[in-house]
Amino acid sequence: MVVGFGTGGAAQNKGQPAPKPERATFRVLGLFSPDRETDLREAFKAVADVTLVGVNFADAEVTVEFVPAKAFPGAKPEQVAERLDQKLREASRNTFGAKPRRTVPRDKLKEVVIPAPVLDCKACCLAAYEAVAKIDGVEQATATFKDGGKVTALIDPTRTDRAKLEDALRGAGVPVPKM
């Protein structure tokens, strides 16, 4: 959820100080490998009235700063993640997105690593990432062609499992070796 989000956006009158920027942390979609951080930073340069403050690859989160009334006019606090998602998708040609922070504690998540030796470029990794990241219960995913190729996902085991991830990869044309 949005951290420290307040009203901060009343119309300015002469003599009144400018509204103070708010900071918030969101999950970021599309950050499937560490080298994508550069692409993410470039995309944020095109997101009007929102400043990227930090990237946490380990948790797939970004911290941003903005004046609510300027960056997201008329948005209620619960709509900010959706509005940021729209702006980020537009700026990145739909390769990045934003969501509220996950609500499931990390210690309740299970890491699943699936070998994917056919992954040999960024585009292949993006396709594999997108196949698993959209599954309900996948809280975070990465895909890499380094070290022989693999897809890694943090999942909520009460909502999904390895078999669903493997099926999604096969459906995206990524052969998955039998374990």
Side-chain angles (χ1 to χ4, degrees):
M1 291 305 296
V2 177
V3 179
F5 187 82
T7 57
Q12 283 187 357
N13 293 325
K14 289 184 179 184
Q16 289 187 349
K20 185 177 178 183
E22 307 270 346
R23 279 197 179 190
T25 300
F26 300 91
R27 282 177 45 197
V28 65
L29 307 175
L31 190 63
F32 60 84
S33 68
D35 62 330
R36 289 275 292 160
E37 184 175 333
T38 301
D39 299 334
L40 177 65
R41 289 183 181 282
E42 283 300 311
F44 261 102
K45 289 178 182 177
V47 177
D49 302 313
V50 177
T51 302
L52 179 63
V53 175
V55 178
N56 178 340
F57 178 77
D59 289 326
E61 293 181 341
V62 293
T63 299
V64 296
E65 191 171 81
F66 55 91
V67 173
K70 186 174 182 187
F72 310 108
K76 296 177 181 168
E78 63 272 11
Q79 296 172 315
V80 170
E82 180 183 338
R83 299 272 181 94
L84 177 61
D85 181 59
Q86 291 168 351
K87 284 186 171 201
L88 185 54
R89 285 185 183 284
E90 184 178 305
S92 69
R93 295 187 210 151
N94 290 311
T95 62
F96 291 106
K99 283 185 159 184
R101 296 176 89 177
R102 69 172 174 254
T103 57
V104 178
R106 192 174 185 102
D107 65 343
K108 300 288 185 202
L109 301 175
K110 177 182 175 186
E111 182 179 84
V112 176
V113 179
I114 301 171
V118 300
L119 299 181
D120 61 2
C121 68
K122 249 187 191 182
C124 296
C125 290
L126 176 61
Y129 165 84
E130 288 178 340
V132 299
K134 66 183 177 185
I135 297 171
D136 181 46
V138 173
E139 295 293 325
Q140 183 179 343
T142 61
T144 182
F145 56 87
K146 297 174 184 172
D147 302 321
K150 66 182 174 183
V151 175
T152 305
L154 277 178
I155 65 167
D156 179 344
T158 66
R159 295 174 25 219
T160 196
D161 58 26
R162 181 186 188 96
K164 289 178 186 171
L165 302 179
E166 290 178 350
D167 287 346
L169 288 169
R170 287 186 193 101
V174 177
V176 176
K178 302 252 185 211
M179 297 301 287

